[in-house]
Amino acid sequence: MEIVAAAVLGFLLDLLLGDPAWMPHPVVLMGRCITWLETGLRRIFPASSRGELAAGAVLAVLLPAGTLLVSGGVLCSLGMVHPALRLGMEILWSWQALAMRGLRDESRNVYRALTAGTLEQARRAVSRIVGRDTQALTEEGVTKAAVETVAENFSDGVVAPMLYLLLGGAPLALCYKAVNTLDSMVGYKNDRYLYFGRASARLDDGANWIPARLAALLLIAAAALGGEDAPAALRVWRRDRRKHASPNSAQTEAAMAGALGVELAGPAFYFGQRYDKPAIGDPLRPVVPGDILRANRLLYGGGWLSLALLGGLRAALIWLL
């Protein structure tokens, strides 16, 4: 039951405190390791498509495997000193693996800029949580980007780490964060990472395949419990969940679009290049800033449901076995 206790307490700490700026975070260290490893691997392997594919594959193995081994070793060592030290570190890492409060806070910063600030402030706020170019976004574009990010990161920042946490404890959750960080740093289809980042992108697709679909179903359930349009969320999810180059990203976006009764996705610019992504949802009305708050309510509702469902299943299996 140690893993269940750590997951519950980590979830509550994330809910209450989020990600304090003063506290060192494992993802920051992972990012530095990726930069260091990329530099070294590019020197070792030839500067060709095959060389970059090989170097990227090595990176995609080294960081997650290293994260799993190091974090597991730290917990084992602490446990030999005292079980309370091991539990304390497990709780800390469980907290840091989750990002629900941070996602809510960052998206609310966008909402506040849209309603009480300027469009330029809103663009800067949303640039902190999206990968697309934000300099030319309209008010509706900024709002849509924030809602989409809440939807997509509900899977990456809440459901997936919770699932891996309850499957294998904090080391497996941090291993997932390493995979996710790799994708966010090198998993781009641009000149620099088209080949080097391919293995990381594929690994992230595989790691998120089950969590993304579970997250979509949890959003639909949260819509039913929270007074949003759950039947539309289910309908749009079934219709539009494959409308994305990624096998996972449209899963939660489709559920969110249906629940809110809006159209998400569509064309966007990344690194100055336009990508004509298909629209998700129905254009029943324009997306408005208040939809960010509605998306946050679904985020929190789905988060509590994920804890109850996954934690309950883990506890039930322990009790039965």
Side-chain angles (χ1 to χ4, degrees), residues 209-226:
W209 200 92
I210 291 175
R213 285 148 184 81
L214 175 60
L217 295 174
L218 289 169
L219 283 179
I220 295 168
L225 295 173

Side-chain angles (χ1 to χ4, degrees), residues 10 52 120 122 135 169 193 198 206 224 227-228 240 280 297 313:
E52 289 190 6
E120 185 56 37
Q135 304 93 321
Y193 292 120
R198 187 170 297 178
E228 300 291 354
D240 293 349
I280 295 172
R297 287 193 289 271
L313 285 173

Side-chain angles (χ1 to χ4, degrees), residues 267-316:
F269 285 84
Y270 295 84
F271 305 104
Q273 183 175 350
R274 177 186 168 98
Y275 289 82
D276 291 314
K277 299 189 295 183
I280 295 172
D282 299 312
L284 303 178
R285 60 175 180 81
V287 182
V288 297
D291 289 322
I292 297 173
L293 301 184
R294 295 172 66 194
N296 281 331
R297 287 193 289 271
L298 290 173
L299 167 72
Y300 267 50
W304 278 106
L305 288 173
S306 71
L307 178 66
L309 174 64
L310 298 172
L313 285 173
R314 170 88 189 199

Side-chain angles (χ1 to χ4, degrees), residues 63-89:
L63 187 72
T67 300
L68 186 65
L69 289 173
V70 170
S71 56
V74 169
L75 288 183
C76 183
S77 299
L78 291 175
M80 288 189 287
V81 176
H82 197 283
L85 291 176
R86 174 189 173 95
L87 178 60
M89 184 58 74

